[in-house]
Amino acid sequence: MATALESRPLADDVEQTLIQLDADYSTIYGPDLTSWSRGVRGEFFELQRSRRTMDRETHPLHPRKASASRRRRHCKQLPWRIHAVAPGAVTVLLTPVWTDVHGPMERVFVVTARDAEGRHLKLPRGGSRQIAALVQGAFPAADWNQPETWRADGNRLTTWQQRRGA
């Protein structure tokens, strides 16, 4: 099986884009960065950051590269850690949402936690992000482009299936 090789790696394209951006700003505002106004410097640095992360997610597909023993410990402590964020959570649904509010497309997770009776639990500020990071760390091999459901009774993760009919 043959592998197609790109003629120019993506890193070279990004580097060329950054060099061109630097040249454009230097031509207009001068070579001395310290003489630029604060707004221009902020815009320049923001453009640099967006060009660097143009084709890369802010949160990688597998957020943690941990040893097997570390992953087992994450998995074993997961119910306790989730209950610290969302007390009484029995089922947690993690839904990936792609957004471009802050520039390049970014994947964030909307987390819905429910108790034993099926009532929705209110999460504290930053709770969705925190629970998503915990579950991703415990189950790095899961497909995080689809909604996933974590259940406390067996400490297992399954792909969410939408009920159809009726």
Side-chain angles (χ1 to χ4, degrees):
M1 177 178 247
T3 304
L5 298 175
E6 293 182 21
S7 60
R8 260 176 79 164
L10 182 62
D12 290 345
D13 290 339
V14 171
E15 184 178 359
Q16 285 300 98
T17 303
L18 290 173
I19 289 170
Q20 185 61 43
L21 179 71
D22 190 38
D24 292 344
Y25 269 78
S26 294
T27 302
I28 296 170
Y29 299 106
D32 186 19
L33 194 78
T34 58
S35 66
W36 297 358
S37 72
R38 189 174 186 183
V40 170
R41 268 195 317 250
E43 179 182 298
F44 175 72
F45 291 136
E46 183 62 30
L47 281 172
Q48 275 189 332
R49 186 186 66 77
S50 70
R51 296 298 192 275
R52 281 191 187 109
T53 60
M54 201 165 28
D55 296 323
R56 181 174 57 93
E57 296 176 18
T58 304
H59 302 290
L61 183 61
H62 302 294
R64 296 184 187 151
K65 295 282 186 183
S67 65
S69 65
R70 174 80 57 169
R71 283 193 308 271
R72 281 191 299 270
R73 186 171 45 182
H74 280 305
C75 203
K76 182 180 175 184
Q77 294 175 349
L78 187 61
W80 179 81
R81 290 180 176 184
I82 287 179
H83 286 287
V85 177
V90 173
T91 305
V92 174
L93 173 65
L94 294 97
T95 308
V97 177
W98 293 90
T99 179
D100 62 349
V101 173
H102 303 294
M105 291 296 278
E106 178 183 20
R107 182 179 59 195
V108 295
F109 287 92
V110 176
V111 174
T112 305
R114 300 201 178 270
D115 64 6
E117 285 80 39
R119 290 186 304 247
H120 177 74
L121 298 173
K122 185 171 169 84
L123 297 174
R125 172 171 267 168
S128 282
R129 182 179 39 80
Q130 195 174 7
I131 289 176
L134 289 171
V135 176
Q136 282 181 322
F139 301 100
D143 181 9
W144 292 107
N145 291 320
Q146 297 185 29
E148 299 284 341
T149 304
W150 174 82
R151 289 180 171 55
D153 59 356
N155 192 20
R156 66 186 188 282
L157 189 73
T158 56
T159 302
W160 181 69
Q161 299 294 324
Q162 184 175 8
R163 293 182 190 171
R164 299 195 179 186

